[in-house]
Amino acid sequence: MLSIICAVHNQLGMNRLFWRHLVAATRAPFELIVIDNASTDGSADFFESVGAQVVRNAQNHSYPFSQNQGLARAKHEWLGFLNNDIVVAPGWDTLLTQAALTHGLDVVTPCGVERLQTPAATRRLKRRWHAVRNALSPWGHTEANLERMHRWMYGNTLGGWAAFCQRRQRDFAGQVLQ
């Protein structure tokens, strides 16, 4: 089983999108430990409503402090430290634990879209993301608008993102960067 630790401060729309994709893409049973750093938009209530363990802080603590709070509550062998602004790939948890076991690693993290196969490919993807984000940002960071950004970036929300992830997994299966 997996303990997932995530620190948040507001961003309710992002948190809902994060949760929805986390549930859809995670294969192993997991507990979600949310460190809520004084959110005022209902984020802590949302995460509690979906069964996450929520630590409510009275102020916005640093990322390391928040992660240590989550570590103190984690119950499972595998730990996942995730930011709320990512959409995990289908089966992300299985891929990471398999990589850790195969390579004898104690700590692994996924390479996200911020590091593609070449610096030029990374720059192209970042330019595309900035164009999409800048075009849609005036409409705010609601869950619907964030979903729209993702769809514009990768195509159909499920098919486009899943296809992108499948290509990445095919091209880089088993590779570990140190």
Side-chain angles (χ1 to χ4, degrees):
M1 288 201 39
L2 175 66
S3 294
I4 299 170
I5 300 165
C6 181
V8 302
H9 176 71
N10 291 322
Q11 300 180 314
L12 182 58
M14 184 80 68
N15 293 329
R16 287 180 175 159
L17 185 68
F18 167 75
W19 171 253
R20 191 161 33 94
H21 285 275
L22 182 66
V23 169
T26 306
R27 293 189 179 136
F30 69 92
E31 69 173 342
L32 177 61
I33 303 165
V34 173
I35 310 303
D36 183 86
N37 287 310
S39 292
T40 57
D41 66 351
S43 287
D45 293 335
F46 164 72
F47 279 117
E48 284 175 342
S49 77
V50 297
Q53 182 183 154
V54 178
V55 175
R56 291 177 182 247
N57 288 325
Q59 64 187 24
N60 191 356
H61 289 287
S62 69
Y63 186 78
F65 182 88
S66 298
Q67 296 309 303
N68 284 331
Q69 285 183 299
L71 271 173
R73 287 161 178 80
K75 298 177 190 160
H76 303 296
E77 177 183 4
W78 294 102
L79 301 172
F81 295 95
L82 298 179
N83 293 336
N84 68 328
D85 65 347
I86 66 164
V87 174
V88 291
W92 70 277
D93 55 322
T94 304
L95 295 168
L96 283 182
T97 54
Q98 286 174 348
L101 292 169
T102 299
H103 297 282
L105 302 172
D106 293 326
V107 177
V108 293
T109 186
C111 255
V113 296
E114 69 278 351
R115 184 173 183 177
L116 296 179
Q117 60 275 19
T118 66
T122 301
R123 283 191 300 275
R124 279 192 305 276
L125 192 70
K126 283 183 179 182
R127 276 195 302 273
R128 180 177 171 84
W129 172 245
H130 289 295
V132 166
R133 186 186 65 197
N134 291 341
L136 292 172
S137 286
W139 288 272
H141 290 92
T142 64
E143 182 180 1
N145 200 41
L146 292 165
E147 190 72 52
R148 188 174 301 114
M149 287 179 189
H150 201 256
R151 193 170 47 252
W152 283 19
M153 183 69 188
Y154 298 102
N156 176 294
T157 301
L158 296 176
W161 175 243
F164 176 83
C165 293
Q166 286 173 346
R167 285 191 305 274
R168 300 274 300 152
Q169 291 166 10
R170 179 195 64 224
D171 293 347
F172 302 101
Q175 291 186 27
V176 175
L177 301 174
Q178 297 181 7

